[in-house]
Amino acid sequence: MNLVELAQRIKQQRLKQGLTLEAVASESGQTRSWLSKVENFRVTPSLPALSRVASALGTSVSALTEGLDEKPAIVCVREGKGKVVNRDGPDSSIVYRSLADGRGNRSMDPFVLQIPSGESREPMSHEGEEFLIVLEGQVNFDYGDQEFQLNCGDSLYFDSEEPHRLANPYPDAAKVLCVFRLGRS
């Protein structure tokens, strides 16, 4: 199932109805923090939790998940045409451009990240694993208590359950390919 699309549908449904995170979380018996993580595809909701969220949104689980298991054999995303996804919330200026948006039921989520000069945020963690490679510029990457200075061509593969973050303290913007493998192995 395309969990990124599910997260986006939940958020879009909430915003379409003018509901706050707090209102939907309260109505569904969840916390605001948990719902925010679901909407930013950092946590995958259980089926009972998804059912309660759907009810709080005035919709059904089937409406939220319709078509998410479709799996075309191939998806072509042209340069600069991938769907822009807001993953880190309103305080982040990192742009995530999806490279597999047209394929549901995938086990990886590849994105090209545009990271402007001066971007820094709090470390985050989520289920799964990640691979990233710097395509342009330089970035710093914090992983737990380790810091990596990455240049063009440098890459990392890591467990994303450890708090981590990308930062760009350098004068030029950076471009990073990041591939998420959702869920647990």
Side-chain angles (χ1 to χ4, degrees), residues 64-83:
L64 288 175
T65 60
E66 182 179 356
L68 293 182
D69 57 350
E70 294 174 4
K71 190 173 183 175
I74 190 167
V75 172
C76 179
V77 177
R78 301 290 181 191
E79 171 69 26
K81 298 296 182 186
K83 182 177 183 179

Side-chain angles (χ1 to χ4, degrees), residues 1-9 41 44 67-77 82-85 87 96-112 178-184:
M1 177 177 289
N2 182 345
L3 298 174
V4 174
E5 179 66 23
L6 174 62
Q8 292 172 334
R9 286 181 183 184
F41 54 97
T44 304
L68 293 182
D69 57 350
E70 294 174 4
K71 190 173 183 175
I74 190 167
V75 172
C76 179
V77 177
K83 182 177 183 179
V84 173
V85 175
R87 179 166 164 84
Y96 288 76
R97 191 169 300 277
S98 175
L99 300 179
D101 182 56
R103 180 172 169 145
N105 194 21
R106 59 186 182 260
S107 59
M108 298 182 297
D109 267 310
F111 292 90
V112 171
C178 184
V179 180
F180 299 94
R181 188 191 60 74
L182 302 174
R184 300 175 196 267

Side-chain angles (χ1 to χ4, degrees), residues 138-157:
Q138 300 172 284
V139 293
N140 288 353
F141 185 80
D142 296 329
Y143 185 79
D145 60 358
Q146 300 176 66
E147 182 177 316
F148 299 86
Q149 294 178 332
L150 303 173
N151 296 308
C152 187
D154 293 343
S155 66
L156 295 169
Y157 187 98

